[in-house]
Amino acid sequence: MKVEEEILAQIKQYDTIIIHRHQRPDPDAYGSQCGLAEIIRETFPTKTVYQVGKNVKGLSWLDTPQEISDECYRDALVIVTDTANQPRVDDDRYTKGKFLIKIDHHPNDDPYGDICWVDSSASSCSEIITRLVENLDGKLKLNAKAARLLYAGIVGDTGRFMYNATTPATMRAAAKLMEYDFDASQVNRTLDEVTPEVARLSAYVLENIKYTEHNAAYVVLDNETLEQFTLEDAGTATIVPLVGKISSVICWTVLVQQKDETYRLRIRSKGPVINELAKEYEGGGHPLASGAILRSLDELPTYLAKLDKIAASAEK
């Protein structure tokens, strides 16, 4: 039995289904989680389906999570989407159900779950959920709401089809979703919008980028700077691709100070692999887009030397 059929069999078996995604969600986290929830509701109207996790104001235009009691997990199927490793799952009750399914597109360094469906060649988890529907030949039903959510997830994780994970299969999935009755252009515009605060931060970032010898770029955003722009960590996500627009930059890192004084590293690359470096600093992710943690700026020189070495390898 192929994995899609195995997942469908579990969905059919349970009356209560709870879907989780990762902490600090992005459009693909919301899109895959809430899109799958809507697909199951559309296909099986008598089932109770929840989507859980902290609500993120900037993504509430897509959908909103639900607050549920511990009792809901009794005899429930739990599905976790777009979450590479267990510590990143938003709401640690995901282990309290009867059966657990992982659906993801990140490198499978933590293969948890009773069923683990991971395709790291997919552009996004939303693309995988779209394929789930297509491969089951009508046994699961899409509607306009689900299509809008999955489309937003694909567009978000491909940088509007700019990143190298975009494949012909990605474009076919997006085209299929666009056949449903939602405003794809409005989704694109909303994903591209920034607040006035982020616009001001963007100017700050461009003026304060620093470079290593071999064109690895970095910028440090400490708490004092974030307070100046009335932003927190979540508000800095949209400025990360900005650094990569500079033609000479090969790979880059945006360091964002957290409330516990550590620094969250958002690491990106135009070619050389950077996820192995991320693993050295309590992180991981895709080969060209990863995250990590720096415990102190005292570690920054060593980290930058390693990042510079990666950039140098691309020049050979």
Side-chain angles (χ1 to χ4, degrees), residues 15-27:
D15 293 326
T16 299
I17 300 166
I18 304 169
I19 307 180
H20 290 244
R21 39 81 175 156
H22 62 74
Q23 301 167 3
R24 296 169 174 165
D26 54 15

Side-chain angles (χ1 to χ4, degrees), residues 7-20 33 36-52 66 68 72-81 97-101 103 140:
I7 291 171
L8 178 61
Q10 295 301 323
I11 291 172
K12 286 181 175 180
Q13 182 176 337
Y14 289 87
D15 293 326
T16 299
I17 300 166
I18 304 169
I19 307 180
H20 290 244
Q33 176 199 31
L36 178 58
E38 188 60 29
I39 288 165
I40 298 172
R41 293 183 187 112
E42 178 72 12
T43 310
F44 304 103
T46 61
K47 293 184 183 295
T48 301
V49 185
Y50 299 110
Q51 55 213 32
V52 300
Q66 300 152 321
I68 63 174
C72 294
Y73 286 85
R74 187 187 302 273
D75 299 322
L77 168 65
V78 177
I79 304 174
V80 180
T81 68
K98 283 287 186 180
F99 198 92
L100 177 63
I101 298 174
I103 304 176
L140 289 176

Side-chain angles (χ1 to χ4, degrees), residues 34 40 77 103 112 130 144 155 177 205 207 212 228 276 279 312:
C34 302
I40 298 172
L77 168 65
I103 304 176
Y112 61 88
T130 304
V155 172
L177 296 169
V205 166
E207 287 194 354
T212 67
Q228 176 185 341
E276 291 302 319
K279 290 177 184 178

